[in-house]
């Protein structure tokens, strides 16, 4: 059967992040996918149509951010009347940073907000024209603990004492099926623990434990009920205690363990804590930014959902409090910080922003990998892991062909 006649691009003079190591090899892409060159050479007798000299750089899959509340002046929970504008501009801005796919995140909100914004946060492919791919929304709350509310509005909090009916009333089950990648819930909130399996079965979404005061027993049960992630490890959760380590203790389980998001901005989590998590469960780490609308903007006052926040010097707090309310870090910065904090290899740091997030969502055959058949969302990095060039669906994204607005 004849193959595609579309142009083939070869990336050469590079090291590929493949099979948990950096290997000197070339990468070939066609029709927005990574291809096996054997068929091109031996079956089709073709040579590449375009050759890209990577100048000795590293080729990595594009970064995947599982938790980002906003950027460039836009907020997914606050800009409800301009939500499509927010998605469009954030997607394009993130793409130029090297983040080629993400989960737009909403903070705890009222049901009418979810019904308004979720249809705009569903999966959509990435491209030079559209920006980074949207993998579906991450809904953080409102089925979370009042004791670990963080920067969430207490008045929106709910319980699931009526099981799936309460989940449906809040989000709409059809919205979850169509538009959502995963939700963050606290296992100890009434009804949540028993509802997790039913929720997963009814909607196909993933569940993450977070903003929680759960005991180790409840955390373990949530994991075995299907909650395969911990939201921003160490933040807004039961502090580690030697006799009851809570959610954090899941990293010490003898058998299988959940993935965990971790914010490596140097503010949310002390480098020593990052090191502890890395040593406990290196294959579960998913770097996230938890960025809010001030990402890549000057210091000042911004919104996170309905809350006013004060941003200065990389620190983000609810106005007139000492409660952290997200970050302004980029995922590229978090990758470099992870190496600085832990001494991990480049491979490990890169996989924390590529392979592991894709595995958490079950899309590792398509995203977060340079395997044959995967999407050709790739980065060319220098040896210090600064992004040099970005490609999405096989096409290069630059400031000349990706235009977006910042809402100051």
């Amino acid at each position: 059967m004849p193959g595609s006649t579309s142009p083939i691009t070869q990336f050469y003079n590079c090291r590929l992040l493949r099979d948990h190591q950096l290997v000197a090899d070339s990468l070939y892409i066609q029709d927005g996918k990574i291809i096996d060159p054997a068929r091109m050479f031996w079956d089709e007798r073709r040579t590449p149509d375009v050759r890209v000299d990577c100048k000795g750089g590293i080729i990595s899959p594009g970064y995947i951010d599982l938790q980002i509340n906003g950027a460039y002046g836009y907020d997914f929970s606050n800009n409800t009347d301009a939500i499509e504008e927010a998605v469009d501009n954030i997607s394009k801005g993130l793409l130029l940073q090297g983040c080629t796919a993400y989960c737009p995140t909403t903070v705890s909100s009222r049901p009418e907000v979810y019904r308004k914004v979720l249809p705009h946060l569903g999966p959509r492919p990435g491209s030079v024209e559209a920006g980074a791919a949207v993998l579906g929304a991450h809904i953080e709350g409102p089925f979370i603990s009042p004791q670990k509310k963080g920067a969430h509005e207490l008045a929106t909090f709910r319980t699931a004492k009526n099981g799936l009916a309460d989940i449906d009333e809040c989000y709409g089950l059809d919205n979850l099926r169509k538009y959502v990648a995963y939700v963050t819930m606290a296992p100890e909130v009434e009804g949540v623990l028993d509802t997790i399996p039913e929720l997963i079965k009814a909607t196909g979404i993933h569940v993450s434990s977070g903003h929680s005061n759960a005991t180790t027993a409840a955390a373990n049960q949530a994991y075995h009920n299907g909650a395969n992630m911990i939201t921003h490890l160490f933040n807004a959760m039961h502090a580690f205690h030697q006799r009851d380590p809570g959610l954090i203790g899941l990293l010490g389980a003898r058998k299988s363990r959940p993935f965990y998001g971790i914010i490596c901005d140097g503010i949310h989590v002390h480098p020593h804590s990052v090191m502890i998590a890395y040593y406990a469960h290196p294959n579960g780490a998913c770097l996230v930014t938890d960025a809010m609308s001030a990402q890549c903007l000057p210091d000042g006052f911004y919104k996170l959902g309905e809350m006013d926040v004060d941003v200065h010097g990389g620190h983000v707090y609810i106005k007139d409090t000492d409660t952290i309310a997200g970050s302004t870090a980029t995922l590229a910065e978090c990758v470099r910080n992870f190496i600085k904090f832990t001494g991990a290899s480049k491979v490990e740091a890169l996989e924390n922003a590529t392979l592991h997030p894709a595995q958490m969502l079950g899309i590792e055959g398509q995203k977060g990998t340079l395997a044959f058949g995967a999407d050709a969302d790739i980065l060319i990095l220098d040896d210090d892991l600064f992004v040099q060039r970005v490609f999405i669906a096989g096409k290069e994204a630059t400031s000349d062909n990706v235009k977006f607005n910042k809402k100051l």
Side-chain angles (χ1 to χ4, degrees):
M1 185 175 178
S4 171
T5 59
S6 300
I8 294 172
T9 300
Q10 176 194 14
F11 295 81
Y12 70 99
N13 188 16
C14 53
R15 290 158 289 159
L16 309 183
L17 177 60
R18 183 173 277 169
D19 298 326
H20 313 299
Q21 56 188 328
L22 294 177
V23 294
D25 202 352
S26 290
L27 187 77
Y28 297 83
I29 63 175
Q30 183 183 38
D31 294 325
K33 300 287 185 180
I34 297 169
I35 64 168
D36 183 348
R39 179 171 178 173
M40 175 190 73
F41 286 128
W42 304 113
D43 296 346
E44 300 174 10
R45 306 290 183 181
R46 289 185 61 179
T47 57
D49 301 278
V50 179
R51 301 184 75 235
V52 176
D53 184 355
C54 300
K55 304 183 187 304
I58 294 169
I59 292 188
S60 166
Y63 295 151
I64 300 170
D65 195 347
L66 294 177
Q67 183 172 4
I68 177 167
N69 303 286
Y72 300 105
Y74 295 95
D75 179 282
F76 294 119
S77 304
N78 180 259
N79 298 115
T80 57
D81 291 328
I83 187 65
E84 197 61 35
E85 178 185 343
V87 174
D88 180 63
N89 285 289
I90 291 173
S91 296
K92 291 174 182 177
L94 291 179
L95 178 60
L96 293 180
Q97 295 176 18
C99 178
T100 59
Y102 72 106
C103 292
T105 298
T106 59
V107 294
S108 296
S109 302
R110 292 166 178 80
E112 58 268 25
V113 173
Y114 294 123
R115 283 163 169 75
K116 190 170 186 178
V117 303
L118 289 179
H120 299 276
L121 304 181
R124 63 178 76 182
S127 67
V128 167
E129 294 76 21
V134 178
L135 301 174
H138 164 214
I139 309 178
E140 191 180 11
F143 297 89
I144 56 177
S145 168
Q147 287 75 42
K148 299 295 177 182
K149 65 184 179 65
H152 288 246
E153 187 179 357
L154 191 60
T156 66
F157 284 20
R158 302 169 73 97
T159 69
K161 64 181 179 181
N162 299 308
L164 207 57
D166 287 330
I167 308 294
D168 186 23
E169 182 184 337
C170 182
Y171 307 130
L173 292 183
D174 202 43
N175 283 335
L176 295 179
R177 294 184 191 102
K178 291 179 180 178
Y179 310 123
V180 175
Y182 75 107
V183 298
T184 290
M185 312 176 95
E188 76 279 13
V189 167
E190 184 181 7
V192 165
L193 201 56
D194 292 335
T195 304
I196 290 172
E198 191 178 359
L199 173 60
I200 294 170
K201 183 178 180 180
T203 63
I205 66 171
H206 296 267
V207 175
S208 181
S209 295
H211 282 274
S212 169
N213 210 28
T215 62
T216 305
N220 265 314
Q221 191 59 56
Y223 174 60
H224 290 294
N225 283 4
N228 71 329
M229 171 116 168
I230 301 172
T231 296
H232 47 49
L233 186 73
F234 298 115
N235 296 115
M237 63 184 56
H238 184 305
F240 184 88
H241 187 280
Q242 70 272 19
R243 289 189 294 276
D244 188 1
L247 283 174
I248 298 168
L250 293 181
L251 272 66
R254 291 182 61 189
K255 296 182 180 179
S256 61
R257 291 167 285 180
F259 292 97
Y260 59 92
I262 191 161
I263 308 167
C264 285
D265 62 350
I267 297 168
H268 276 77
V269 182
H270 192 281
H272 293 180
S273 299
V274 178
M275 176 75 95
I276 289 171
Y278 161 63
Y279 272 108
H281 186 22
N283 294 330
C286 298
L287 299 179
V288 298
T289 63
D290 196 23
M292 44 74 70
S293 60
Q295 189 196 61
C296 299
L297 292 182
D299 289 353
F301 294 99
Y302 294 86
K303 284 282 190 179
L304 178 64
E306 295 301 317
M307 293 190 172
D308 294 312
V309 297
D310 184 1
V311 178
H312 52 275
H315 294 256
V316 183
Y317 297 104
I318 296 176
K319 189 179 177 182
D320 298 326
T321 77
D322 59 358
T323 300
I324 294 178
S327 85
T328 60
T330 68
L331 203 50
E333 291 167 345
C334 292
V335 169
R336 295 191 296 271
N337 283 343
F338 188 82
I339 292 176
K340 182 168 68 174
F341 295 167
T342 67
S345 70
K346 294 171 185 175
V347 168
E348 290 171 307
L350 290 171
E351 289 189 340
N352 291 346
T354 57
L355 178 62
H356 298 169
Q359 289 174 329
M360 180 265 161
L361 293 177
I363 58 171
E364 66 270 23
Q366 176 187 3
K367 301 286 186 187
T369 177
L370 299 182
F372 302 142
D375 292 343
D377 301 344
I378 64 173
L379 310 179
I380 300 178
L381 307 163
D382 66 17
D383 272 343
D384 295 318
L385 302 188
F386 284 88
V387 177
Q388 303 301 300
R389 299 174 73 173
V390 179
F391 294 78
I392 188 164
K395 296 183 179 179
E396 185 165 15
T398 71
S399 57
D400 291 327
N401 63 6
V402 178
K403 301 294 185 183
F404 68 100
N405 295 320
K406 298 179 181 181
K407 189 176 181 181
L408 298 173

